[in-house]
Amino acid sequence: MVTAAAGWAYHSASRVTEAYIPLYTDGIHVQPDGSLDAIEAHEDVAYLHGSRVLARHGNNPAVQEVAEQHRAWLAEADLPGTGTPYEQLVADALLDIHVLTGATFAAEDGTVTPSAPGAVVAAWSQQWRYVWPRDAAFVAAALATVGHTGDAIDVLS
């Protein structure tokens, strides 16, 4: 019996319990019409500095305006980690939160529909395009922490 138990324990301990789950997307970006779109997993892209607008759309005046709005919104924040190796990570996370909050949807027929103000989706992939109360509460806390209290109130509302 001891040998059987030891064999079972060894087998259980040596069994691989990790699974590879591929990414649905690598991120999000704002399109020239203001709607969001996913960045496919492993797609090599670059954003215009301080925005969630793809650099390849940079010649479009409407896109330049959106990028400037992103930079202005970010400049109003009191970024934790400023001057540290984490500064860019925090800025990127806040930009993701910003564009996922009150996001604009584009349908296949070309219609563009904004979501409710303050509705913050968990991610842009279809599998995660939901508002989760717990996640929204953390987003509200993050926004309040960096000084975007109006946005935090919108999320809680």
Side-chain angles (χ1 to χ4, degrees), residues 3-145:
T3 303
W8 175 82
Y10 173 78
H11 174 71
S12 295
S14 62
R15 188 178 56 185
V16 175
T17 58
E18 295 179 7
Y20 174 75
I21 301 172
L23 291 173
Y24 293 124
T25 65
D26 267 352
I28 51 173
H29 69 96
V30 179
Q31 299 188 97
D33 67 1
S35 66
L36 290 186
D37 196 15
I39 297 171
E40 296 300 318
H42 310 293
E43 185 179 343
D44 189 24
V45 298
Y47 294 113
L48 291 177
H49 177 72
S51 78
R52 281 297 173 257
V53 174
L54 294 182
R56 69 177 178 238
H57 297 149
N59 292 332
N60 183 321
V63 166
Q64 285 290 343
E65 185 178 330
V66 170
E68 188 53 43
Q69 290 169 0
H70 289 181
R71 286 189 282 273
W73 182 86
L74 196 58
E76 293 171 1
D78 181 20
L79 292 180
T82 300
T84 72
Y86 304 106
E87 181 175 0
Q88 190 61 51
L89 178 70
V90 171
D92 288 342
L94 280 173
L95 285 168
D96 287 345
I97 286 172
H98 181 58
V99 299
L100 287 169
T101 304
T104 300
F105 295 81
E108 289 184 22
D109 66 2
T111 59
V112 177
T113 307
S115 65
V120 56
V121 295
W124 202 246
S125 63
Q126 193 65 40
Q127 299 88 335
W128 291 98
R129 204 175 299 169
Y130 297 97
V131 176
W132 300 98
R134 177 201 59 212
D135 295 354
F138 280 111
V139 167
L143 291 169
T145 298

